[in-house]
Amino acid sequence: MSTATDTPFSLTHPVELPADFSPDAILAFHGRDASGVAERVDAGILQKGLAWEGRAACLTIRFHSDHAEARLAIDGEPVDDPRETFDRMLRRMLGLTQPVADFERAYRSHPEIGRLIAARPWLRVPVSPTPFEALTWAITGQQITVKAALSLRRKMIQAAGLTHSEGLVCYPDAMRLGALGEADFRAAGFSRTKALTLIGLGTAVRSGEIPLDAWVDDLAVDEIRKRLLNVRGIGPWTIDYTLLRGFGWLDGSLHGDVAVRRNLQLLLGAPEKITEDNAKRWLAQFSPWRALIGAHLWALKSSDIY
């Protein structure tokens, strides 16, 4: 935990937003836990606790019509100049690196995809500040409801114990999470399997075997799949979700996601439930946009169709 002797550091950085940008998706994504323990969302403002070089930090993003004003407040002086890293992180988080115009130009007239685009034009996928957060969240949420996953996530963040001076508890990095043992995860409500997966992942990240941060600048998808599959408890769905939410890669196939299959059935008007194999085959025709279509399906409502 940061102490009173730490010299606080603050950086403010404006980000220009395209005319078609809407902050609704990112505010909803980071506001999904209404407890306000690690994130607060209010009136177009996002505040989020995170770890920066192992120190407690608070990210604040204020959305305006044509730009976002971002502030990074760190409880302590950073070792490296954070400006370039902060800019890249913000652009990933806001989906500004995603070529959604190319996607919409290609599929606006498609009989099914066109309906998704018409319902939510210029949809960008919110991305987590770090791939580690996205991956640990994906593991946490395996085969349980979002409500249950949020409860586990909140308890894990609190157990890690990194609190920023402005009050938010920070999502832990691999070093901070590595201080937790199996008993800590179990006390937070995690199954033994998930606890051991998270412990194993943390060890692999700290050793450099899983270089998540390095992959941000060198997205070797096949290598990422290969290495993550070597971590017990991580499978294809977790990897594809992480590639989307952690790196902003738009071509992972989310056919294993229940909500994607349920809403695909709605979109197609299919009388029977869509199987994983059927969803995989249907999504395959839209490569390299499969994950972006999955995100559109996540957002689909029956009122968009009828």
Side-chain angles (χ1 to χ4, degrees):
M1 185 177 294
S2 298
T3 68
T5 60
D6 290 329
T7 302
F9 173 91
S10 180
L11 169 66
T12 300
H13 182 66
V15 179
E16 185 178 352
L17 299 175
D20 55 51
F21 184 87
S22 170
D24 293 349
I26 188 168
L27 292 172
F29 176 65
H30 291 288
R32 60 200 187 278
D33 185 352
S35 70
V37 169
E39 295 96 359
R40 297 183 191 133
V41 171
D42 181 52
I45 301 172
L46 164 65
Q47 290 183 293
K48 178 175 175 61
L50 49 84
W52 192 280
E53 294 182 349
R55 294 182 179 273
C58 180
L59 167 66
T60 302
I61 305 177
R62 297 176 183 271
F63 290 98
H64 303 277
S65 59
D66 60 351
H67 74 284
E69 180 182 318
R71 173 177 175 263
L72 179 68
I74 307 172
D75 284 349
E77 196 75 24
V79 175
D80 297 318
D81 187 337
R83 285 175 292 186
E84 183 178 349
T85 302
F86 187 43
D87 178 73
R88 293 202 309 270
M89 183 189 79
L90 286 171
R91 293 184 182 280
R92 283 196 315 276
M93 285 183 67
L94 301 181
L96 298 179
T97 61
Q98 300 169 21
V100 295
D102 295 344
F103 165 70
E104 297 200 2
R105 192 161 41 245
Y107 289 105
R108 188 173 286 113
S109 299
H110 188 277
E112 287 94 28
I113 305 304
R115 297 164 79 185
L116 296 176
I117 293 171
R120 280 165 193 82
W122 310 111
L123 177 70
R124 291 174 170 86
V125 181
V127 174
S128 297
T130 67
F132 184 75
E133 177 172 339
L135 179 51
T136 50
W137 164 241
I139 293 167
T140 300
Q142 290 171 347
Q143 298 180 325
I144 58 175
T145 66
V146 173
K147 181 179 179 180
L150 287 172
S151 177
L152 292 180
R153 177 183 185 268
R154 185 185 319 123
K155 292 173 184 177
M156 180 188 73
I157 292 171
Q158 292 171 319
L162 185 65
T163 303
H164 187 260
S165 55
E166 295 180 11
L168 286 175
V169 187
C170 303
Y171 199 97
D173 58 11
M175 291 299 295
R176 177 67 59 160
L177 202 66
L180 302 181
E182 181 183 343
D184 298 305
F185 283 106
R186 297 287 281 145
F190 284 80
S191 67
R192 183 172 185 270
T193 298
K194 287 185 181 180
L196 294 178
T197 297
L198 289 166
I199 291 169
L201 172 65
T203 299
V205 171
R206 292 191 301 275
S207 71
E209 181 183 349
I210 304 291
L212 290 171
D213 291 338
W215 284 335
V216 169
D217 298 317
D218 183 18
L219 190 60
V221 171
D222 290 341
E223 183 66 16
I224 291 173
R225 288 189 188 281
K226 178 182 176 182
R227 294 208 196 183
L228 289 181
L229 282 171
N230 286 332
V231 179
R232 186 173 182 179
I234 294 180
W237 178 88
T238 300
I239 294 171
D240 281 326
Y241 184 92
T242 301
L243 285 166
L244 177 62
R245 291 293 198 194
F247 297 95
W249 190 62
L250 300 180
D251 196 32
S253 181
L254 298 172
H255 58 276
D257 191 282
V258 173
V260 166
R261 297 199 305 275
R262 180 178 62 244
N263 285 347
L264 178 57
Q265 180 184 358
L266 174 66
L267 177 68
L268 299 179
E272 303 292 336
K273 288 185 177 180
I274 302 291
T275 66
E276 287 195 29
D277 286 343
N278 287 339
K280 183 177 182 179
R281 284 194 296 270
W282 188 85
L283 287 167
Q285 64 187 307
F286 303 112
S287 180
W289 308 105
R290 291 175 294 175
L292 182 55
I293 290 172
H296 272 277
L297 288 169
W298 277 333
L300 185 66
K301 299 177 181 178
S302 59
S303 58
D304 298 329
I305 302 299
Y306 302 110

